[in-house]
Amino acid sequence: MKKIVSCALSLVLFFTSLIPTAFTAYSEDYGDTLRRLGFPTQYIQKLVDLHSAHPNWIFEPFNTGLDWNTAVAGERSVHSKQLISKSSLYDSSMYCRCDKCFVNGKYVIQESKNWVSASQTAVEYYMNPSNWLDEKHIFQFESTAYDGTQTKQGVESILNGTWMYDSLITYRTTSGKTKQYDSTTKYSDVIMKAANDAGISAYYLAAKIRQENGGAQSSATAVNGTTSPFQGIYNYFNIGAYSGAMDGLSWAAGFLKTNCNATLYSKYDSATGIAGGTATAIKKGQYMTWRANCGNYYFVRLYDEFNGSYVEGLSGYILKNQCRDSYLDSAGTGYGRPWTNPYKAIYYGAKYIAKSFGAQTSNYLQKFNVNPASNALYQNEYMKNVAGAANEAVSTYNGYASAGILDVTKKFMIPVFNGMPESPAVSNLTVAGFDSKNVFLTWSPVDNASGYQVEIFSNNSWNFYARVSEPYLSVENLSPCENYGFRVVSYKQIGTDACFDLYSNEVWAATTPHKLSKPTATSTQSSVTIKWTPQNLADGYSVYIYDKKQGKYVYYADAAGIGTSSITLKGLKSNTYYKFKVLAYRNINGTVYTGALSSYIPIRTLKKNQIQLTSAKSSKKQRITVKWKKKNNVTGYQVMWSTTKNFKKNFLSVKVKGKSKQSTTLKTSRSKTKYYVRVRAYKTSKGKTTYYPWSVTKSVKVK
């Protein structure tokens, strides 16, 4: 039996802004459909999520009509039929500690070396369908009925990773010789034929084989063909393996035994058809493994079974009429036994499963027989491994995913019980704060929860974000100006698996725009123009001005529109010092989300007739190109440059005549030196020159 496959792999600054809960993200219509079908509340959200991801999947409730507690008790009526591997994968809560399963301080080994009885906690966990309504484990509820759309490629995908993948059937005979079934038949071929003839799902058969005996090598007891005393006998589905694989081989061998006191001969003469040689007396009821048919004789290998151990005896020839062979090749109960090659074991094994589990039409029902129509409640179960159905579901999922056929139409029959335990839901999920990159969530704790799983809605789907142990989380590194949904589900840790409860309410929060980086400003005598780099998705920008009376920045103007990168503020006083800040905002569903104010932008409006110096740059050695805005009603412009900021030494000036002039190139005496530049207009009238105020000073490093 396989070990269980594992399911599914700090508080920061508190933000002050609050956001109201918004709309739910899933289709209420489909949720209502599931309710009308009769699914309990704890199934709904999980099935809605699966439907959203796989619209072609069909979910139908399988109403058992059984009380949940009664059904659990029924499955545990014989503790030795619900087993779990005692290993580091589980804690002690998964093992039964009743006085029959825990004796003298030790767990009673029920099978093999490490399989013990599962506790009620373990049985309830694996038996409760609401714990398995995820993309992988849902396949334990898939209908096992034959599906003509299934392909050989899909079967191969399920077998991938085992020795059977894309392989011809090769095996050992009852005489120990290696033989190939034929030159064309692969394991996937016999699985496809068995599925068609038995009326059962090919993918189900492939997953079942992989779960029971799959591995990188064909070394498992039931399929290696070398296990004494059943050499050359195969049982790919472990049918009849009630206490281990050896029991399954005994079943596959056909329970051949003597029906009277008989004689075993050491030799057989094929020419005369008579056995001879050494004769050994055999008592009635002696078990034997079939090796070959020889006329009126069976060539057999004797064996005895003592307390679960099988001991090999002599091989020889015995008259057929001295043997009970009713389970060999019988149409009613033989199922083609003995299964002396993989083809027979798979083909007839499928027929046995189809007939034996007719009303148990899913892996789940074959593990937990809760279908009253089977007339064998809590019995006739395929395996003892309490996690078997969940494990096989993962193999089926992996096969579908590898073959690219996850989204084809599939039907899932999901059991429903009366009085099922209600799963608790996280309540009061709240957005306690947010900024441009983070959203801080809080919620009410759930009693006895091991932890909480936080999921985020982005890119049109719910996605895992994190698991935490405390009822709060800062969701970090988000994109600014984006709308996100959040939900939380509590879980209990059972061994290495997480048992999930119901989802919380959903909350939505939009991250704010980020803080604008270094806006710039230029001025005229009566206006200031502020520029910035626009943000993706921002709907506009607000400008704030420093109010000396209030001692703070107050709203002043708005620059609406996606992609807006500047605003000109008019009607300002000349020669006046101002300070501005700018923030970005976004409107989402009627709520405006604002970013942080930028760093302050100092600017002085120009004096009357003061020139606006727009740039001073050096692109050539010992050269400065100066540009300004022209002014009407002037004669020209004076440009001054100096190595000192106050222009009191090492300065030169030049006049540029003409009111339309807007630039000039200066020659410096030094290279790789920082220079300061300013410009002013002048006007000459009647021989008198009037100079206007100097512009602001700009610095430039000369090449």
Side-chain angles (χ1 to χ4, degrees):
M1 299 174 75
K2 298 290 183 184
K3 290 184 178 180
I4 181 172
V5 177
S6 175
C7 287
L9 270 242
S10 63
L11 181 60
V12 298
L13 293 176
F14 186 83
F15 308 103
T16 57
S17 301
L18 298 178
I19 300 177
T21 301
F23 59 89
T24 53
Y26 64 87
S27 168
E28 286 290 342
D29 289 341
Y30 190 68
D32 290 341
T33 298
L34 295 172
R35 292 183 185 90
R36 287 194 297 272
L37 287 172
F39 283 112
T41 302
Q42 55 264 50
Y43 290 18
I44 301 297
Q45 182 61 62
K46 297 175 183 180
L47 293 179
V48 166
D49 291 344
L50 286 172
H51 174 73
S52 177
H54 305 284
N56 292 325
W57 289 6
I58 300 169
F59 307 115
E60 294 185 6
F62 176 73
N63 192 350
T64 65
L66 301 174
D67 174 76
W68 167 253
N69 292 325
T70 300
V72 171
E75 288 293 339
R76 297 195 73 235
S77 59
V78 180
H79 288 195
S80 61
K81 289 187 177 181
Q82 298 293 345
L83 303 184
I84 192 167
S85 174
K86 189 177 184 299
S87 70
S88 59
L89 292 177
Y90 299 109
D91 58 46
S92 60
S93 67
M94 302 297 277
Y95 312 132
C96 182
R97 292 178 66 92
C98 74
D99 56 5
K100 293 183 179 179
C101 298
F102 190 74
V103 178
N104 296 326
K106 294 182 179 180
Y107 293 100
V108 175
I109 301 300
Q110 301 286 4
E111 185 176 307
S112 189
K113 296 180 179 180
N114 63 334
W115 289 87
V116 300
S117 295
S119 67
Q120 180 164 326
T121 297
V123 174
E124 288 180 339
Y125 172 61
Y126 284 104
M127 192 173 166
N128 190 340
S130 67
N131 293 333
W132 306 104
L133 302 181
D134 59 73
E135 190 173 53
K136 294 183 179 181
H137 297 95
I138 187 75
F139 284 97
Q140 64 187 287
F141 308 115
E142 184 184 14
S143 172
T144 57
Y146 177 72
D147 185 345
T149 66
Q150 294 178 344
T151 65
K152 179 179 176 180
Q153 178 189 11
V155 170
E156 290 287 4
S157 296
I158 295 173
L159 298 179
N160 192 9
T162 74
W163 89 93
M164 296 171 282
Y165 173 66
D166 197 28
S167 296
L168 293 171
I169 296 176
T170 303
Y171 63 99
R172 289 182 180 272
T173 67
T174 57
S175 297
K177 296 180 179 179
T178 300
K179 184 177 181 180
Q180 187 170 285
Y181 183 76
D182 61 28
S183 61
T184 60
T185 303
K186 296 181 178 181
Y187 287 95
S188 56
D189 292 314
V190 63
I191 289 173
M192 290 298 292
K193 180 170 177 55
N196 180 75
D197 292 357
I200 198 168
S201 165
Y203 296 164
Y204 161 78
L205 293 177
K208 181 75 74 176
I209 291 172
R210 179 172 184 136
Q211 163 68 18
E212 292 294 332
N213 287 294
Q217 306 294 328
S218 57
S219 57
T221 299
V223 295
N224 62 34
T226 63
T227 301
S228 172
F230 303 110
Q231 293 91 328
I233 302 298
Y234 300 85
N235 192 341
Y236 277 69
F237 298 105
N238 271 343
I239 296 169
Y242 302 115
S243 62
M246 293 297 290
D247 284 355
L249 287 177
S250 175
W251 192 97
F255 301 123
L256 181 65
K257 69 177 182 178
T258 54
N259 56 19
C260 61
N261 293 331
T263 302
L264 182 75
Y265 298 95
S266 62
K267 295 181 180 180
Y268 173 74
D269 187 338
S270 58
T272 63
I274 298 175
T278 303
T280 303
I282 304 298
K283 292 183 178 180
K284 180 181 179 180
Q286 173 68 54
Y287 276 105
M288 303 167 282
T289 304
W290 180 95
R291 297 186 62 180
N293 288 332
C294 299
N296 293 325
Y297 296 84
Y298 288 128
F299 182 39
V300 299
R301 180 182 292 109
L302 306 183
Y303 71 85
D304 292 305
E305 191 264 330
F306 301 99
N307 298 322
S309 297
Y310 291 82
V311 180
E312 182 177 338
L314 296 173
S315 287
Y317 303 87
I318 191 168
L319 283 168
K320 292 180 178 179
N321 61 13
Q322 294 180 339
C323 300
R324 185 198 73 174
D325 55 7
S326 55
Y327 297 108
L328 301 187
D329 294 317
S330 167
T333 56
Y335 296 100
R337 290 178 285 177
W339 291 346
T340 52
N341 61 60
Y343 190 103
K344 291 178 70 175
I346 294 171
Y347 183 83
Y348 287 107
K351 285 185 171 292
Y352 174 86
I353 292 171
K355 184 174 181 179
S356 300
F357 299 98
Q360 296 162 256
T361 53
S362 69
N363 264 331
Y364 177 93
L365 290 175
Q366 290 179 20
K367 172 63 201 102
F368 302 110
N369 186 8
V370 291
N371 184 2
S374 70
N375 297 318
L377 271 176
Y378 320 127
Q379 302 177 46
N380 193 46
E381 295 179 347
Y382 188 84
M383 66 189 83
K384 296 181 181 180
N385 181 359
V386 72
N391 292 353
E392 288 184 16
V394 176
S395 294
T396 303
Y397 167 85
N398 290 337
Y400 284 151
S402 297
I405 52 177
L406 267 179
D407 290 317
V408 301
T409 300
K410 296 176 178 64
K411 183 177 180 181
F412 301 92
M413 305 294 294
I414 306 171
V416 174
F417 300 86
N418 298 326
M420 293 190 70
E422 284 289 336
S423 298
V426 168
S427 60
N428 300 319
L429 176 62
T430 303
V431 175
F434 60 94
D435 62 11
S436 63
K437 293 184 178 181
N438 310 286
V439 172
F440 186 67
L441 304 172
T442 63
W443 56 88
S444 297
V446 174
D447 291 341
N448 301 317
S450 302
Y452 307 90
Q453 180 165 300
V454 179
E455 298 180 3
I456 183 170
F457 191 85
S458 60
N459 299 320
N460 297 316
S461 65
W462 286 103
N463 301 287
F464 170 85
Y465 179 77
R467 285 188 184 176
V468 294
S469 59
E470 300 296 336
Y472 52 79
L473 175 69
S474 178
V475 183
E476 302 174 339
N477 298 317
L478 300 174
S479 298
C481 293
E482 290 279 6
N483 196 27
Y484 295 95
F486 302 95
R487 68 184 185 186
V488 180
V489 60
S490 62
Y491 65 88
K492 296 180 183 65
Q493 196 68 33
I494 306 292
T496 58
D497 295 322
C499 179
F500 290 95
D501 298 316
L502 295 179
Y503 281 103
S504 68
N505 58 299
E506 297 167 12
V507 295
W508 289 76
T511 49
T512 63
H514 61 68
K515 182 178 179 179
L516 293 175
S517 176
K518 297 181 179 180
T520 60
T522 58
S523 66
T524 68
Q525 185 176 320
S526 61
S527 69
V528 169
T529 298
I530 303 174
K531 295 183 179 181
W532 57 82
T533 300
Q535 290 190 33
N536 183 37
L537 298 179
D539 292 320
Y541 304 84
S542 295
V543 178
Y544 286 70
I545 190 171
Y546 185 75
D547 187 315
K548 291 182 180 180
K549 291 183 179 180
Q550 298 186 57
K552 64 179 181 179
Y553 285 87
V554 297
Y555 173 80
Y556 186 76
D558 189 73
I562 296 174
T564 300
S565 60
S566 66
I567 186 173
T568 297
L569 310 173
K570 298 180 180 180
L572 302 177
K573 295 179 180 180
S574 63
N575 193 28
T576 302
Y577 180 74
Y578 292 95
K579 291 194 294 184
F580 298 98
K581 290 186 177 183
V582 185
L583 60 77
Y585 64 81
R586 187 180 182 200
N587 188 322
I588 299 178
N589 299 325
T591 301
V592 177
Y593 301 88
T594 59
L597 287 167
S598 68
S599 56
Y600 82 94
I601 310 155
I603 189 73
R604 181 180 290 277
T605 52
L606 300 182
K607 301 174 184 177
K608 185 177 181 180
N609 296 320
Q610 187 177 13
I611 294 299
Q612 183 179 345
L613 175 59
T614 57
S615 68
K617 297 180 180 179
S618 176
S619 57
K620 292 183 179 180
K621 187 176 182 180
Q622 293 181 298
R623 295 290 188 274
I624 301 173
T625 299
V626 183
K627 295 182 179 181
W628 59 86
K629 287 192 174 182
K630 67 181 180 179
K631 184 172 181 60
N632 294 327
N633 301 317
V634 298
T635 303
Y637 306 89
Q638 182 184 17
V639 181
M640 181 178 286
W641 65 105
S642 172
T643 58
T644 60
K645 192 173 184 179
N646 58 12
F647 294 91
K648 290 187 176 182
K649 60 180 181 179
N650 297 330
F651 66 86
L652 292 171
S653 70
V654 64
K655 285 186 175 181
V656 182
K657 193 172 182 179
K659 66 179 182 180
S660 297
K661 296 293 185 179
Q662 290 183 271
S663 67
T664 190
T665 299
L666 310 175
K667 183 177 181 181
T668 65
S669 60
R670 302 177 188 178
S671 61
K672 298 183 179 179
T673 301
K674 188 175 185 179
Y675 276 83
Y676 297 90
V677 180
R678 62 185 181 180
V679 60
R680 64 181 177 179
Y682 68 89
K683 185 175 182 179
T684 301
S685 176
K686 297 179 181 182
K688 183 180 179 180
T689 300
T690 301
Y691 290 92
Y692 297 121
W694 287 107
S695 70
V696 295
T697 300
K698 287 187 179 292
S699 62
V700 57
K701 187 172 183 178
V702 178
K703 288 183 178 292

